[in-house]
Amino acid sequence: MNQPPLPTLIKGHILRFKANPFENPIEDAVILESTGAILLRGDKIAKIGQFSDLSALYPQAHVVDYGDKIVMAGFVDAHVHYPQTGIIASWGKRLIDWLNSYTFPEEMRFGELGYAQDISKAYLDFITAHGTTTVASYCTIHPQSVDAFFTEAQARNMCVVAGKTCMDRNAPEGLRDTAQSAYDDSAALLGKWHKQDRLHYAITPRFSPTSTPEQLEAMGALWDANPTCLMQTHLSEQIDEIAWVKELFPDARDYLDTYEQFGLLGERGLYGHAIHLEPREKDRLKETGAGLVHCPTSNMFIGSGLFQTAALAQAGHRIGLATDTGGGSSFSMLRTMAAAYEIGQLNHTPLHAAQLLWLATVGSAQTLHLEHEIGNIREGHFADLVVLDLGSTPEIKQRSMRANDLWEAIFPTIMMGDDRAIHDVWIAGRSVTQ
Ligand code: GUN
Ligand code: ZN
């Protein structure tokens, strides 16, 4: 991999956000410079402007010309399970049966460090090919599954969030920890990895059915002692799951309360799915500024329900977008945006292409509290970029050629695009293809 000398000037159609397209007119939310350029210095974005201006100011810069391709921030996938790579697209089950039949047996294998290393490498290769530059991943209960993932991401200079998944009940023998060991192992892992290079630790109780109240309390105490960490879990994904939570926690006001009463509700909390929410839950999530993570391919694949993206975004919730591999059926954030559009249609609220791209970049970065460094093209941000080809297949090309404006040109790639639409990816100022 030969890298160009620095500084580098990337030329193309530069697409970036200056405001939230759920709260502002699209034309006020997006900036597109059609002969734009980004000056990179080291791993960061140093300047953004017109190519003519920047090339005059920096005549020594190495120019990488992407012509009429779109250059934007790399995709941010706010909820994944890298250990489920090998069981993606497993047939015919709903959530609890799917976990017991496919997920738990596979997660058992991550006790072996070599296996965790192999899957970490394969997973990070897959997502990079799909233009994703940051993920927030669950690992397994095994500390070595966390070590393997962070080690591989660090070697690639990637910004990732991850944590040891904690479960002390309703999981098979060999896949259970205890309240104490979950606390001790998580504390040791976050001490080792949190804020090392571009790595961030998330305290990770899987979901309340697989944690005793004692374990949830221990996780709440750990978060309280380490408030710069994120906390990730699942919330109100399927109706049967919610009924089970009611049985397990008869005194809780609702599903969210099983977290809230143990100190597991907060601004740095990430709540995956959040589909079937009670009014009190919505109020509390909004008041605390917690992040809701929409996982549309997963919600259709496991048959979970319709997340209310437009209504929740307009109500001011912090919302990210995610594949949820392997409950989700794709590693691709393009496919995930398409699924979010389809769920929006079923809710009678079609999302604009700009809103979909925003959710997959700035929105997700905001849920991870990393919006000051990733998810947009801004001076001082890391140069994590994706270069999109809007004519990557004959089918897409014939449609985008008829487009009357940018959004009509981009939408076919969102709906029909795959890794062939990903012309290039930059991670921390380095192209993965050059
Ligand atoms: N709820 C608890 N664990 C999981 C998981 O691994 N995937 C999904 N989709 N939901 C969950
Ligand atoms: Zn999940």
Side-chain angles (χ1 to χ4, degrees):
M1 200 163 72
N2 286 328
Q3 294 303 321
L6 297 176
T8 299
L9 202 50
I10 295 181
K11 176 170 181 262
H13 289 291
I14 312 293
L15 189 154
R16 59 201 161 112
F17 289 96
K18 64 175 169 166
N20 180 337
F22 286 96
E23 293 170 357
N24 297 273
I26 301 299
E27 57 278 14
D28 295 342
V30 181
I31 305 177
L32 181 83
E33 254 130 7
S34 52
T35 45
I38 308 172
L39 185 84
L40 308 189
R41 272 194 201 286
D43 53 8
K44 299 268 174 60
I45 295 170
K47 271 198 189 317
I48 307 147
Q50 285 296 313
F51 178 72
S52 53
D53 296 338
L54 289 184
S55 58
L57 276 172
Y58 301 94
Q60 81 284 16
H62 172 82
V63 176
V64 180
D65 187 352
Y66 289 117
D68 61 1
K69 299 198 169 45
I70 301 282
V71 182
M72 60 177 290
F75 301 133
V76 180
D77 188 343
H79 179 125
V80 313
H81 300 255
Y82 95 81
Q84 295 171 13
T85 298
I87 54 117
I88 193 167
S90 292
W91 186 85
K93 307 278 184 193
R94 295 174 75 87
L95 178 60
I96 305 305
D97 283 348
W98 175 85
L99 285 171
N100 287 318
S101 308
Y102 300 121
T103 308
F104 290 159
E106 176 63 12
E107 291 192 9
M108 208 91 84
R109 301 181 68 180
F110 286 72
E112 196 193 314
L113 179 63
Y115 189 69
Q117 288 168 331
D118 289 349
I119 300 294
S120 295
K121 287 193 174 85
Y123 174 78
L124 291 172
D125 285 347
F126 292 155
I127 62 154
T128 304
H130 282 290
T132 299
T133 48
T134 289
V135 295
S137 185
Y138 289 62
C139 299
T140 65
I141 69 144
H142 314 97
Q144 53 271 46
S145 72
V146 182
D147 287 333
F149 189 69
F150 275 141
T151 301
E152 192 56 33
Q154 190 176 38
R156 297 168 191 232
N157 226 344
M158 290 179 84
C159 171
V160 300
V161 175
K164 173 196 131 68
T165 297
C166 301
M167 301 197 276
D168 68 344
R169 65 167 163 175
N170 294 318
E173 179 71 40
L175 213 54
R176 288 194 304 267
D177 49 19
T178 65
Q180 189 65 51
S181 73
Y183 186 99
D184 293 344
D185 288 347
S186 302
L189 287 163
L190 76 86
K192 179 172 174 187
W193 293 109
H194 187 49
K195 294 191 185 288
Q196 295 301 311
D197 294 334
R198 305 190 66 197
L199 312 176
H200 302 266
Y201 196 83
I203 295 164
T204 308
R206 182 178 213 117
F207 68 156
S208 36
T210 49
S211 289
T212 58
E214 293 70 35
Q215 183 169 74
L216 293 171
E217 192 177 9
M219 295 293 99
L222 184 63
W223 198 17
D224 190 47
N226 296 277
T228 66
C229 286
L230 292 153
M231 190 289 302
Q232 57 184 353
T233 191
H234 296 83
L235 176 67
S236 294
E237 181 177 0
Q238 284 206 345
I239 299 295
D240 291 357
E241 171 210 15
I242 297 167
W244 192 27
V245 170
K246 274 209 175 79
E247 278 172 35
L248 292 168
F249 296 86
D251 298 333
R253 288 170 288 183
D254 44 42
Y255 196 152
L256 185 66
D257 198 32
T258 65
Y259 301 127
E260 188 173 359
Q261 65 183 278
F262 298 113
L264 291 169
L265 174 61
E267 195 187 30
R268 287 181 174 270
L270 295 162
Y271 302 86
H273 305 290
I275 299 170
H276 310 283
L277 297 177
E278 303 286 343
R280 191 200 80 87
E281 295 178 300
K282 286 185 205 165
D283 289 348
R284 290 296 294 138
L285 288 161
K286 196 173 139 205
E287 276 163 26
T288 51
L292 310 183
V293 188
H294 179 29
C295 307
T297 72
S298 169
N299 298 161
M300 290 194 282
F301 185 76
I302 310 185
S304 301
L306 306 178
F307 181 83
Q308 305 291 315
T309 309
L312 290 164
Q314 266 135 29
H317 285 271
R318 197 190 288 265
I319 301 177
L321 189 67
T323 59
D324 188 31
T325 48
S329 53
S330 174
F331 295 93
S332 164
M333 288 297 279
L334 290 173
R335 174 74 197 99
T336 302
M337 286 180 249
Y341 177 78
E342 289 161 352
I343 288 183
Q345 282 287 49
L346 291 170
N347 284 328
H348 301 277
T349 50
L351 303 179
H352 192 278
Q355 295 173 327
L356 295 165
L357 291 172
W358 187 89
L359 286 170
T361 53
V362 184
S364 283
Q366 285 182 346
T367 63
L368 305 181
H369 292 260
L370 293 172
E371 73 277 13
H372 50 282
E373 55 186 74
I374 60 164
N376 206 351
I377 295 184
R378 282 178 183 259
E379 288 170 17
H381 272 214
F382 280 93
D384 291 349
L385 307 170
V386 63
V387 183
L388 294 177
D389 177 355
L390 302 188
S392 60
T393 67
E395 295 93 325
I396 295 174
K397 191 171 189 171
Q398 62 85 32
R399 179 64 188 89
S400 62
M401 275 168 58
R402 294 175 182 226
N404 293 309
D405 62 25
L406 167 75
W407 300 115
E408 255 191 69
I410 287 183
F411 194 55
T413 288
I414 292 178
M415 294 309 299
M416 301 164 72
D418 53 28
D419 52 345
R420 290 168 290 180
I422 309 301
H423 180 77
D424 205 351
V425 179
W426 289 68
I427 295 172
R430 290 180 160 223
S431 156
V432 299
T433 61
Q434 289 180 26

